[in-house]
Amino acid sequence: MGSIWSYVYELLIKYSYIGLYLGLAVEGTGMPGPVELFFLAAAYFIHIHRMSMIYTVITATLGNLSGNLLAYLAGYYGGRPVVEKLNRYLHIKDEDFEKLQGWFNKYGGITNMISRWIGITRTPAIWAAGIMRINILSYTVFSLIGDLVWVIFWTLLCVYAYININWLLNLPAEYKLAAVALISVIIYFAWRVFFKNLRREDV
């Protein structure tokens, strides 16, 4: 983790917003990576006035959206063979495509916005949208909304955490455990609700 953090830190030191854009563009394709470290590093630079919070949000959102569109176009023109070649990194299952097709037929591009917030279905939704050739304007608009909300959340969270790092570290252990447990429960039930609807036979 230390070496990855150093790499992200140096990337932002050297390339600033360009480094942030590239890091979030890769994440936007659905490829796994230490995206949270980019937000933590950005929070530090915001704190020392090397970066602006507004420009950080704009840059990260556009980077993420660029990655979304790159994956969409790869799926659109390359189809399933492209996904099969990259699936060692993407980990997309056939049933993910089948279920998401029902969601796209029913909800269109809003599926990508919802998947951005849920997280676990984000990668299949990004690539499935291109393969299924849903309307690119709808895809772009809803991906942009989802990316923007997601970026604002992580930026504010990391900035707040950095500002209050000493207070957070000095919290009693039981408070930290309670916070982690609460967040875990919320995420768990959010996934349960999402998958319950995703896997319905009538979708």
Side-chain angles (χ1 to χ4, degrees):
M1 179 64 75
S3 59
I4 298 177
W5 165 256
S6 298
Y7 174 77
V8 171
Y9 179 84
E10 291 297 328
L11 188 65
L12 293 194
I13 277 282
K14 201 169 188 178
Y15 301 106
S16 187
Y17 294 108
I18 296 176
L20 180 65
Y21 174 87
L22 293 175
L24 269 293
V26 172
E27 198 278 341
T29 66
M31 292 292 180
V35 66
E36 292 81 6
L37 293 183
F38 279 94
F39 288 110
L40 285 171
Y44 168 72
F45 290 119
I46 289 171
H47 182 73
I48 63 174
H49 305 293
R50 286 283 300 272
M51 295 176 72
S52 158
M53 185 180 296
I54 292 177
Y55 289 148
T56 293
V57 169
I58 292 173
T59 301
T61 301
L62 292 178
N64 223 222
L65 181 62
S66 298
N68 293 163
L69 290 171
L70 180 63
Y72 174 93
L73 293 173
Y76 188 94
Y77 291 107
R80 293 289 281 270
V82 172
V83 174
E84 290 172 2
K85 289 180 180 178
L86 296 174
N87 218 21
R88 58 188 295 186
Y89 308 106
L90 299 173
H91 306 296
I92 301 175
K93 300 177 182 178
D94 289 337
E95 53 264 33
D96 292 331
F97 281 115
E98 295 171 6
K99 296 300 181 181
L100 282 165
Q101 185 170 10
W103 270 65
F104 280 124
N105 291 337
K106 191 171 183 179
Y107 302 112
I110 199 172
T111 302
N112 288 92
M113 183 177 70
I114 296 172
S115 296
R116 167 81 274 184
W117 299 334
I118 296 298
I120 200 169
T121 56
R122 174 183 61 92
T123 299
I126 291 170
W127 289 85
I131 292 172
M132 296 171 190
R133 302 194 169 192
I134 72 164
N135 182 278
I136 191 170
L137 179 59
S138 173
Y139 172 86
T140 302
V141 169
F142 285 111
S143 294
L144 174 61
I145 295 171
D147 292 341
L148 177 61
V149 173
W150 180 80
V151 166
I152 290 174
F153 168 79
W154 276 106
T155 302
L156 291 178
L157 178 65
C158 290
V159 168
Y160 177 83
Y162 184 83
I163 293 173
N164 297 279
I165 188 67
N166 290 327
W167 177 78
L168 291 171
L169 291 175
N170 291 323
L171 274 177
E174 56 268 26
Y175 285 15
K176 295 176 185 176
L177 291 173
V180 171
L182 178 61
I183 293 171
S184 300
V185 168
I186 292 173
I187 293 174
Y188 171 77
F189 280 106
W191 284 353
R192 284 286 300 272
V193 170
F194 184 78
F195 281 120
K196 182 179 178 181
N197 287 279
L198 181 66
R199 291 170 176 163
R200 276 182 4 200
E201 293 297 328
D202 60 340
V203 172

